[in-house]
Amino acid sequence: AASGARVAVGMPGDAAAGRDSGRVDVYRRVPGGWTREATLRSSSLRAGDEFGRSLAMDGDRLLVGAPGADVEERDAGAAYLFEWDGGAWIEQASVQLDVPGYADRCGSSVALLGDRFAVGVPGRDAGAADTGLVLVGRIDAEGSVDFDELRIPSAGRFESFGRAVALSDGELAVAAPWS
């Protein structure tokens, strides 16, 4: 992910906190090249989280997907919002389902535009196996998140709605590769 003079590089296979725990390195352009500004990990990082599998950056905000995170259930997944405070990247919030399920894979895809975000949950059993859904929300002035679930009303099995997400000019695009 890139924004302005910054680039974020996800390394979901990093093993600093256990196999495939993951990390994100943020680089900033400086005269003559690039310098690493920060190495980011979630505050709850564990083996298998795949932190950094998906990334979205807009200005001083970075949204990081960790679809393998065990949030109440194995591989339920989550996404983590970081904000640059002028001196460091601070973890502000996590985005996850209110009632996580096994292999939901929340955070498989992420998008960020200003104070709006989208987080793909392609493994969610929403009416049928792996139909998927997308968490669509807004970030308030304090860095807290509020979101709703977006689903396909007539989704069939294994559609994986939310496998990829994108935001642009107030529009949301969502992939459902098996529909």
Side-chain angles (χ1 to χ4, degrees), residues 72 96-100 124 135 147 149:
E72 295 183 36
Q96 59 199 42
L97 291 163
D98 291 334
V99 181
R124 182 64 168 192
L135 303 177
F147 57 86
E149 296 180 2

Side-chain angles (χ1 to χ4, degrees), residues 10-176:
M11 288 167 262
D14 183 74
R19 183 175 182 196
D20 296 331
S21 54
R23 80 170 197 256
V24 173
D25 284 343
V26 180
Y27 296 88
R28 184 175 34 88
R29 186 186 317 240
V30 296
W34 294 86
T35 186
R36 184 168 50 196
E37 183 172 76
T39 294
L40 306 177
R41 294 181 173 90
S42 79
S43 57
S44 60
L45 192 67
R46 295 189 309 232
D49 282 1
E50 299 176 60
F51 181 82
R53 172 70 59 197
S54 58
L55 300 169
M57 182 181 265
D58 190 22
D60 290 338
R61 289 186 171 136
L62 175 63
L63 190 57
V64 180
D70 295 341
V71 180
E72 295 183 36
E73 293 284 343
R74 184 167 181 255
D75 293 342
Y80 298 89
L81 175 67
F82 290 82
E83 291 196 27
W84 177 255
D85 72 355
W89 286 94
I90 307 299
E91 184 178 332
Q92 292 290 335
S94 66
V95 178
Q96 59 199 42
L97 291 163
D98 291 334
V99 181
Y102 171 77
D104 283 342
R105 306 282 297 162
C106 178
S108 289
S109 59
V110 295
L112 181 63
L113 184 63
D115 65 350
R116 298 184 180 271
F117 66 87
V119 176
V121 190
R124 182 64 168 192
D125 297 342
D130 293 344
T131 53
L133 59 83
V134 176
L135 303 177
V136 180
R138 181 171 247 145
I139 305 161
D140 70 19
E142 287 79 41
S144 297
V145 296
D146 185 39
F147 57 86
D148 292 308
E149 296 180 2
L150 175 64
R151 305 167 186 248
I152 300 175
S154 59
R157 292 180 56 177
F158 308 115
E159 289 192 6
S160 295
F161 183 71
R163 174 76 57 182
V165 294
L167 285 167
S168 178
D169 297 326
E171 300 292 327
L172 170 66
V174 180

